[in-house]
Amino acid sequence: MNEKTELEKRDMQRLSNEEANKITKECILSALIILMSEKPFDKITITELVKRSGVSRTAFYRNFSSKEEVLSDLSQSILGCITKLIIKAVREENPHHMYCQIFQIIKDNHQDFDVMLKAGLLQNEYMNASTYIDNQFSDFGIMARYAVLGWWGALQNITKDWYLRGMKEEIADMANLCCRLLPPVTFKAIQK
């Protein structure tokens, strides 16, 4: 019995180039997630990835330069959502809602999160937060930068541990815990 490729699972009728490229990328990302559930990232070849995704090698290289870039794209989509929530919460001063949304994103994207952890990418992407923080909070001075980095590190450890332990605690309980443990990082707090 032949298993359908990720591309074959999608209804590919007349699409614009932009839509076709988006679907191609999604198929490649899905194929990587499936393959990483079967073997370590460093053992996966481009050939396996294109075969499993159902796209041509040319289509793969039109969208990605390497399998590492596929992995990075995956992590950027998840961490990008989380980062937007953080900036919004800092500006609106609504940390409880932000924490709920962050834990929900992790729960909803647990397969992607698992892939990032297995590949060691999650730690690398979290470490890149300092560059992002420099860009977003540069007007507030060095002490504000340290305050945000400390808060970010604590949140990373809490979310990662919650995930690794099977996400057993309720999202609202985790949000309440974060509100109690982590000092609010708001524009008012970091301007002091």
Side-chain angles (χ1 to χ4, degrees):
M1 179 174 106
N2 283 342
E3 188 175 328
K4 283 188 173 184
T5 66
E6 293 305 305
L7 190 61
E8 290 171 335
K9 291 176 185 176
R10 300 172 190 261
D11 185 15
M12 296 289 288
Q13 297 179 1
R14 294 179 186 248
L15 301 174
S16 69
N17 284 342
E18 185 178 317
E19 291 170 323
N21 281 340
K22 182 180 179 207
I23 289 173
T24 298
K25 279 185 156 188
E26 289 172 358
C27 290
I28 294 168
L29 290 169
S30 295
L32 181 63
I33 291 167
I34 292 166
L35 287 168
M36 284 192 68
S37 70
E38 299 169 358
K39 62 167 84 176
F41 177 73
D42 61 341
K43 303 290 184 201
I44 298 170
T45 66
I46 299 292
T47 301
E48 290 173 302
L49 197 49
V50 296
K51 182 178 179 184
R52 186 59 162 263
S53 65
V55 305
S56 69
R57 189 173 281 276
T58 303
F60 176 87
Y61 283 112
R62 189 172 42 246
N63 289 282
F64 299 103
S65 62
S66 66
K67 66 180 185 178
E68 288 77 13
E69 189 178 340
V70 177
L71 197 58
S72 180
D73 196 62
L74 175 67
S75 68
Q76 288 301 319
S77 66
I78 294 172
L79 296 177
C81 290
I82 291 172
T83 303
K84 285 177 188 172
L85 288 173
I86 290 168
I87 294 303
K88 183 178 177 188
V90 166
R91 291 194 171 124
E92 295 178 6
E93 301 180 21
N94 187 355
H96 187 271
H97 183 65
M98 174 204 56
Y99 291 131
C100 284
Q101 289 182 307
I102 288 172
F103 285 102
Q104 190 65 55
I105 286 171
I106 292 169
K107 193 168 195 169
D108 291 346
N109 295 281
H110 65 91
Q111 286 181 311
D112 299 347
F113 206 75
D114 196 48
V115 167
M116 293 178 350
L117 280 171
K118 285 179 181 174
L121 192 65
L122 192 59
Q123 187 64 26
N124 293 340
E125 294 300 330
Y126 274 165
M127 294 315 230
N128 290 336
S130 63
T131 303
Y132 182 80
I133 288 168
D134 283 341
N135 293 334
Q136 294 295 317
F137 300 101
S138 60
D139 296 343
F140 296 105
I142 193 69
M143 296 312 282
R145 179 183 187 278
Y146 289 136
V148 174
L149 280 172
W151 170 83
W152 180 241
L155 180 59
Q156 291 168 27
N157 285 323
I158 290 169
T159 56
K160 184 178 176 182
D161 192 67
W162 175 74
Y163 174 79
L164 290 173
R165 291 177 173 274
M167 302 177 288
K168 294 174 186 164
E169 295 80 14
E170 294 293 325
I171 287 171
D173 293 339
M174 293 305 296
N176 289 335
L177 176 74
C178 287
C179 285
R180 283 195 315 272
L181 292 178
L182 306 177
V185 178
T186 63
F187 280 123
K188 288 180 184 175
I190 61 178
Q191 284 177 315
K192 294 179 182 179

